[in-house]
């Protein structure tokens, strides 16, 4: 049994030494790899690019619209003079153009509303970035604590094996009874079971790490909690001003307000410039240029319904902003409390370990003198094991809680953590498409190169 467990431990240890990570990982290494490998970030960057195109489409509505057409007709009619059938063929080529001159701000308001959507989507991307990085922190700490649990269980099994052998030796010379040997044997079997469970937990933690980080783990190093020195009141105040979920909700409210103004403007007249140039099969050319003005009179209540709809959307966005603010403040409070609990637990477990180690060494020494039983030694060893287990769990919880507090405040980003990665610039694509460039322009060519590079990633 011991050989099989040792083999399992070797297999898990080898998984730590996978080809992508031959050296020990720092938390910064893991977070950097997460940022570079995250498919979820790539997905939301694509959503942001789609939102950027909304601005380009709104801008396009303010530019000239030019279309071409070619029509061919054959007409057969009866000549009133001769009574015979006459066939007439005609071909007409036409280029038409239309340009909005004045629309009471409908198109301009549409552009501004789409810009708010873009800004909100950028904040949503920041929120996803925080979620991805926090998951990586949790995965990193779970691998580290699971690895320490395995080592602790291995040490525990070695100690209990020694106690079991000592009990057997003392039984053979008549110092203890068969009960003492059975107790030690039962504890040894329990230790083997706990070791197998810890190894299974480590294997699961490694799988989660691979998904969260994008590659296998190296040997995780010791990690200190993230520096968080604010009081809970300061943390909440900062979060309300800077958390991406709140900023996203604020931009949604602004977009809704602009859409209300746009819906009202849509009920007013529109002035446009239009014209055409045409030629037929006989090279007869014609052209026309004119100005037209018009607006809605009656559309079955459609425009008023659309106005009420966007007003309802505005009310929903305001309520969402209020609820999001409450949720963020709650997250800060929970994270702050979790951090304080973890800190207190770690400090208490360290004191417990010191006392339990003194007690264990004393009980074991007294047992060699015959004043303590095997059960006393096993219980003392279990007390020490529990204390060390609590410390490992508390250390992991403290680190995770500190980074969760950063996330609740809106600070768990590669920029704030100063990670050594090339950061994604959300404005780069926007600047290329915001003016609705044509395919033949220099901006259009640059955009093609960007899209080609994105497609290769």
């Amino acid at each position: 049994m011991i050989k099989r467990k040792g083999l399992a431990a070797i297999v898990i240890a080898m998984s730590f030494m996978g080809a992508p990570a031959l050296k020990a990982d720092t938390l910064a290494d893991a977070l950097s790899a997460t940022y570079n490998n995250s498919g979820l970030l790539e997905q939301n960057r694509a959503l942001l690019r789609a939102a950027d195109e909304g601005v380009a489409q709104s801008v396009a509505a303010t530019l000239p619209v030019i279309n071409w057409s070619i029509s061919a007709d054959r007409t057969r009619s009866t000549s009133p003079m001769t009574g015979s059938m006459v066939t007439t063929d005609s071909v007409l080529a036409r280029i038409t153009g239309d340009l909005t001159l004045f629309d009471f701000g409908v198109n301009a308001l549409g552009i501004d509303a789409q810009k708010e959507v873009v800004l909100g989507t950028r904040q949503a991307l920041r929120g996803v970035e925080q979620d991805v990085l926090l998951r990586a922190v949790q995965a990193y700490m779970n691998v580290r604590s699971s690895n320490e649990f395995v080592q602790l269980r291995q040490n525990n099994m070695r100690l209990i094996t020694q106690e079991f052998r000592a009990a057997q030796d003392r039984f053979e010379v008549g110092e203890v009874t068969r009960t003492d040997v059975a107790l030690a044997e039962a504890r040894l079997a329990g230790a083997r079971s706990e070791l197998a469970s810890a190894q299974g937990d480590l294997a699961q933690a490694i799988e989660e790490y691979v998904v969260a980080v994008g590659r296998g783990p190296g040997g995780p190093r010791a990690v200190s909690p993230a520096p968080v020195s604010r009081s809970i009141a300061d943390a909440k105040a900062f979060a309300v001003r800077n958390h991406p979920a709140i900023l996203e909700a604020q931009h949604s409210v602004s977009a809704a307000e602009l859409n209300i103004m746009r819906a009202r403007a849509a009920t007013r007249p529109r002035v446009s410039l239009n014209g055409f140039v045409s030629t037929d099969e006989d090279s007869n050319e014609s052209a026309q240029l004119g100005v037209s003005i018009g607006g809605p009179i009656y559309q079955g209540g459609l425009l008023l319904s659309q106005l009420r709809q966007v007003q309802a959307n505005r009310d929903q966005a305001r309520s969402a902003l209020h609820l999001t603010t409450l949720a963020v403040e709650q997250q800060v409070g929970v994270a702050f409390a979790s951090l304080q609990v973890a800190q207190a637990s770690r400090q208490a477990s360290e004191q417990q370990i010191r006392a339990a180690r003194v007690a264990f060494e004393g009980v074991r020494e007294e047992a060699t003198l015959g004043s303590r039983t095997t059960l006393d030694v096993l219980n003392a060893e279990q007390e020490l094991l529990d204390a060390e287990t609590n410390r490992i769990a508390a250390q992991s919880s403290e680190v995770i809680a500190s980074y969760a507090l950063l996330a609740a405040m809106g600070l768990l980003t590669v920029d704030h953590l100063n990670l050594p990665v090339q950061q994604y610039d959300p404005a780069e694509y926007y600047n290329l498409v915001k003016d609705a460039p044509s395919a033949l322009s220099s901006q259009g060519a640059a955009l093609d190169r960007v899209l080609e590079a994105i497609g290769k990633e």
Side-chain angles (χ1 to χ4, degrees):
M1 175 65 75
I2 294 176
K3 290 182 178 179
R4 287 199 298 270
K5 297 302 181 185
L7 180 59
I10 292 173
V11 171
I12 292 178
M14 289 178 65
S15 68
F16 268 92
M17 302 299 290
L22 297 178
K23 64 182 183 65
D25 276 340
T26 64
L27 180 57
D29 293 334
L31 294 178
S32 298
T34 300
Y35 185 80
N36 292 329
N37 299 330
S38 175
L40 187 58
L41 281 176
E42 288 298 328
Q43 178 187 16
N44 282 270
R45 288 165 184 165
L47 290 175
L48 177 57
R49 293 195 296 272
D52 293 341
E53 295 294 350
V55 176
Q57 292 165 18
S58 296
V59 170
T62 67
L63 302 177
V65 178
I66 301 174
N67 294 306
W68 64 271
S69 66
I70 298 177
S71 61
D73 299 301
R74 168 169 289 186
T75 304
R76 301 188 67 185
S77 59
T78 302
S79 172
M81 300 295 293
T82 63
S84 61
M85 295 296 295
V86 178
T87 300
T88 303
D89 293 329
S90 63
V91 178
L92 181 66
R94 172 178 290 206
I95 296 177
T96 62
D98 186 88
L99 174 64
T100 299
L101 297 178
F102 184 70
D103 61 1
F104 287 91
V106 171
N107 288 333
L109 290 169
I111 295 172
D112 292 339
Q114 286 299 321
K115 287 180 178 179
E116 292 294 335
V117 172
V118 168
L119 295 175
T121 308
R122 288 182 185 180
Q123 295 302 323
L125 178 59
R126 277 188 61 214
V128 172
E129 179 183 331
Q130 291 204 140
D131 294 340
V132 167
L133 294 179
L134 183 57
R135 182 182 180 184
V137 171
Q138 294 168 336
Y140 184 94
M141 294 308 301
N142 286 341
V143 168
R144 183 176 183 276
S145 59
S146 296
N147 186 45
E148 290 184 343
F149 284 142
V150 168
Q151 296 176 1
L152 188 61
R153 293 297 177 183
Q154 289 172 337
N155 292 335
N156 177 56
M157 196 173 73
R158 283 193 291 269
L159 284 173
I160 295 180
T161 299
Q162 294 174 2
E163 294 299 330
F164 173 62
R165 291 173 179 170
Q168 286 180 319
D169 294 339
R170 293 171 65 190
F171 171 74
E172 290 175 358
V173 298
E175 293 183 3
V176 298
T177 66
R178 172 67 66 180
T179 302
D180 294 278
V181 177
L183 286 171
E185 186 176 10
R187 287 292 178 91
L188 180 58
R192 289 170 179 166
S193 175
E194 293 294 338
L195 175 59
S197 178
Q199 290 171 334
D201 291 341
L202 176 57
Q204 294 179 40
I206 291 174
E207 293 298 328
E208 168 62 15
Y209 185 98
V210 171
V211 173
V213 178
R215 59 170 173 77
R221 298 179 182 177
V223 182
S224 299
V228 180
S229 59
R230 298 176 183 271
S231 67
I232 187 171
D234 290 340
K236 286 184 177 181
F238 184 89
V240 168
R241 295 192 305 269
N242 296 277
H243 196 281
I246 293 179
L247 298 179
E248 179 187 2
Q250 290 174 345
H251 288 300
S252 295
V253 172
S254 297
E257 295 284 0
L258 290 167
N259 283 329
I260 291 175
M261 298 169 62
R262 189 183 183 200
R264 287 173 177 161
T267 63
R268 297 174 180 177
R270 172 177 175 266
V271 180
S272 61
L273 176 70
N274 48 66
F276 72 87
V277 176
S278 65
T279 183
D280 59 18
E281 73 279 5
D282 297 324
S283 299
N284 296 319
E285 297 181 354
S286 62
Q288 177 180 308
L289 181 66
V291 176
S292 63
I293 181 172
I297 296 177
Y298 178 72
Q299 295 187 5
L302 174 63
L303 294 179
L304 289 178
S305 176
Q306 291 175 337
L307 176 58
R308 293 192 299 270
Q309 183 182 51
V310 293
Q311 287 174 334
N313 289 337
R314 184 270 316 276
D315 295 340
Q316 179 273 333
R318 287 177 175 176
S319 297
L321 173 59
H322 176 67
L323 293 174
T324 301
T325 302
L326 293 177
V328 167
E329 289 180 335
Q330 180 186 17
Q331 290 173 4
V332 172
V334 170
F336 203 91
S338 298
L339 178 58
Q340 291 180 322
V341 169
Q343 290 171 340
S345 179
R346 175 183 53 78
Q347 294 169 359
S349 63
E350 290 172 352
Q351 296 175 352
Q352 184 184 8
I353 287 173
R354 289 192 293 269
R357 180 172 288 112
V358 172
F360 171 65
E361 293 173 353
V363 169
R364 186 165 59 175
E365 183 64 26
E366 291 171 4
T368 61
L369 301 176
S371 60
R372 292 282 188 172
T373 65
T374 300
L375 180 59
D376 293 331
V377 176
L378 294 175
N379 287 340
E381 194 277 333
Q382 186 64 44
E383 289 285 341
L384 178 58
L385 175 66
D386 291 342
E388 292 174 335
T389 301
N390 290 339
R391 180 177 64 179
I392 293 172
Q395 288 174 336
S396 178
S397 297
E398 183 179 2
V399 172
I400 292 174
S402 67
Y403 281 92
L405 182 55
L406 283 183
M409 296 170 63
L411 291 175
L412 189 57
T413 62
V414 294
D415 184 49
H416 180 75
L417 298 177
N418 197 26
L419 297 178
V421 297
Q422 182 177 356
Q423 296 186 35
Y424 180 80
D425 183 4
E428 180 179 2
Y429 186 86
Y430 173 83
N431 290 334
L432 289 175
V433 303
K434 65 178 181 179
D435 297 325
S438 66
L440 301 179
S441 66
S442 58
Q443 273 185 286
L447 185 57
D448 289 338
R449 291 192 296 270
V450 170
L451 292 174
E452 183 179 357
I454 291 174
K456 292 179 179 180
E457 291 180 355

